[in-house]
Amino acid sequence: MKYIEEFQDPDLARRLLDDIRATVTRPWALMEVCGGQTHTIIRHGIDQLLPAEVELIHGPGCPVCVTPLEVIDKALAIAARPDVVFCSFGDMLRVPGSGKDLFRVRGEGGDVRVVYSPLDALKIAKQNPDKQVVFFGIGFETTAPPNAMTVHQAKKLGIRNFSLLVSHVRVPPAIEAIMRSPSCRVQGFLAAGHVCSVMGTAEYPELAARHRVPVVVTGFEPLDILEGVRRAVRQLERGQHRVENAYARAVRPEGNPAALAMLADVFEVTDRAWRGIGTIPDSGWRLSDRYREYDAEHRFAVTDISTREPAECRSGEVLQGLIKPHECEAFGTLCTPRTPLGATMVSSEGACAAYYLYRRLDLAPPRRADAPQPASTPTPAPAAASVAVAAAPAGTAAPAAATTPAATDDMEATPVV
């Protein structure tokens, strides 16, 4: 990727912010769907730099966070077997199950290994024919194609001691569920650019039209976020509800045809449970009948495991955008990165982890459930973030927003390039 400093330019950030301030005339609530976008927003103080009329709501865009507790418990049960090598990306090892996590299983003697690709797990299976090798396949549309391709490769090579524990979820049905919720306050979406780079944008126009919300496909750098906000606010002020691609350097309307073909071959759409939210119809994938022999749930007979979320963890409300992380009474006290109650605190893309890492010293102490409730929740002062934009040189981690020259062709009012 050529562009690094260009998408953290404080001068462009100021101009985008000026344009947003000049455009907005009433309160609007936008949801960023991706956990990576949430971390950019909190790390760079973008939510504090925006005018008070624009609120950013954090959505269920962290794949680790939405992996349901019952799937974690299935992973723990499989990983504890003496005949299994359990492979996973590192961010899943500290996600709490009902009583332990994968780190604990490894400490108790389980063969739990961190890998950097599902193909690494397939290689381990080929090298250890006397072991059952399981890869923990979680995530959104971005990680599903390589996992599908690995299963396809295992079948092609005749590697029978490999299987996939599947917990893949899809973004558009989650947006549908959010908009149908009676408590929904979302008026526009910043869609995840990496998801759309795989799937394209074909599923979003119908959503935007049905619920009358703008959907702006957005990247992950500070300027990307601000450009996405600018476009969404402009549509809302005009009463529009279209799909716009503000991440044209990576996203094509048709997506990635090769990846889509692999998904269609290996997976089939199914209902899927989301941690803290519940089951959303047609919101996930499972292995199709052609590849069902590679399904770890069936191979190890763990399909009947069921669980209950801990009552003190409010991560479900965080994932639905109903509360901010620091509004949970357990935030920073009972729940920390060392002692997480839920995945939103331990995941590198979790909203709770972002607030704990970048914002906790600016926030009021968490309230106990039995403590008197204040009239309002203190809001972090925007001064520090504003200073960062004004003082930070180009190329540093200053609050800013991003777009390419192609993405600014339709800029009105103040151009950014």
Side-chain angles (χ1 to χ4, degrees), residues 199-270:
M199 304 301 294
T201 58
E203 294 181 274
Y204 292 100
E206 183 181 353
L207 278 172
R210 182 164 59 252
H211 298 290
R212 304 185 64 83
V213 292
V215 177
V216 181
V217 180
T218 309
F220 308 92
E221 292 296 328
L223 289 177
D224 283 319
I225 303 298
L226 283 178
E227 171 65 0
V229 170
R230 187 193 71 83
R231 292 188 182 212
V233 167
R234 184 179 61 180
Q235 282 200 49
L236 288 166
E237 290 285 339
R238 294 175 175 177
Q240 297 174 339
H241 39 85
R242 298 182 290 108
V243 177
E244 289 191 59
N245 182 10
Y247 198 42
R249 67 184 187 273
V251 172
R252 300 292 179 267
E254 69 277 11
N256 185 323
L260 293 173
M262 183 60 67
L263 290 172
D265 177 46
V266 176
F267 289 128
E268 62 186 24
V269 172
T270 186

Side-chain angles (χ1 to χ4, degrees), residues 32-353:
E32 83 277 0
V33 178
C34 174
Q37 293 171 341
T38 299
H39 272 253
T40 296
I41 290 165
I42 302 304
R43 177 185 179 188
H44 296 287
I46 292 173
D47 56 331
Q48 297 174 288
L49 293 171
L50 290 169
E53 293 88 349
V54 180
E55 179 188 2
L56 294 180
I57 298 175
H58 315 312
C62 164
V64 175
C65 303
V66 301
T67 303
L69 187 60
E70 64 185 50
V71 174
I72 301 297
D73 283 354
K74 290 174 183 178
L76 297 173
I78 295 171
R81 292 174 59 106
D83 59 334
V84 166
V85 178
F86 194 89
C87 299
S88 173
F89 294 139
D91 54 4
M92 292 303 300
L93 266 65
R94 294 197 60 242
V95 178
S98 295
K100 62 178 74 173
D101 56 27
L102 286 169
F103 263 131
R104 176 68 64 85
V105 171
R106 185 163 71 175
E108 294 172 349
D111 193 347
V112 178
R113 306 186 191 184
V114 174
V115 295
Y116 297 94
S117 163
L119 288 174
D120 293 340
L122 188 61
K123 183 178 179 180
I124 293 171
K126 190 174 181 180
Q127 294 170 343
N128 297 270
D130 59 326
K131 292 282 191 177
Q132 288 290 328
V133 178
V134 181
F135 180 73
F136 201 176
I138 68 133
F140 290 94
E141 293 94 332
T142 46
T143 56
N147 291 344
M149 184 265 293
T150 303
V151 174
H152 176 84
Q153 191 76 355
K155 185 179 181 69
K156 180 179 179 181
L157 296 175
I159 300 176
R160 304 297 183 186
N161 63 322
F162 174 83
S163 58
L164 191 69
L165 180 60
V166 183
S167 186
H168 282 301
V169 289
R170 302 173 58 239
V171 170
I175 292 178
E176 179 74 31
I178 288 167
M179 293 308 302
R180 288 183 179 276
S181 171
S183 55
C184 177
R185 299 188 297 112
V186 180
Q187 297 162 293
F189 287 91
L190 305 182
H194 52 5
V195 169
C196 294
S197 71
V198 175
M199 304 301 294
T201 58
E203 294 181 274
Y204 292 100
E206 183 181 353
L207 278 172
R210 182 164 59 252
H211 298 290
R212 304 185 64 83
V213 292
V215 177
V216 181
V217 180
T218 309
F220 308 92
E221 292 296 328
L223 289 177
D224 283 319
I225 303 298
L226 283 178
E227 171 65 0
V229 170
R230 187 193 71 83
R231 292 188 182 212
V233 167
R234 184 179 61 180
Q235 282 200 49
L236 288 166
E237 290 285 339
R238 294 175 175 177
Q240 297 174 339
H241 39 85
R242 298 182 290 108
V243 177
E244 289 191 59
N245 182 10
Y247 198 42
R249 67 184 187 273
V251 172
R252 300 292 179 267
E254 69 277 11
N256 185 323
L260 293 173
M262 183 60 67
L263 290 172
D265 177 46
V266 176
F267 289 128
E268 62 186 24
V269 172
T270 186
D271 300 346
R272 182 64 72 182
W274 295 54
R275 187 166 189 164
I277 298 176
T279 299
I280 301 176
D282 297 331
S283 66
W285 280 302
R286 65 184 177 191
L287 290 171
S288 64
D289 289 340
R290 289 185 59 200
Y291 297 91
R292 192 59 50 84
E293 63 183 300
Y294 292 94
D295 189 332
E297 283 193 52
H298 292 278
R299 180 172 293 189
F300 298 99
V302 293
T303 55
D304 59 346
I305 289 179
S306 59
T307 56
R308 295 183 63 184
E309 298 282 348
E312 63 271 22
C313 179
R314 300 179 68 185
S315 61
E317 295 171 81
V318 173
L319 291 169
Q320 295 175 69
L322 301 179
I323 64 170
K324 296 292 196 295
H326 68 282
E327 295 173 322
C328 173
E329 294 82 0
F331 176 83
T333 54
L334 295 176
C335 184
T336 70
R338 286 183 178 273
T339 58
L341 293 178
T344 50
M345 180 58 84
V346 73
S347 169
S348 61
E349 293 189 358
C352 296

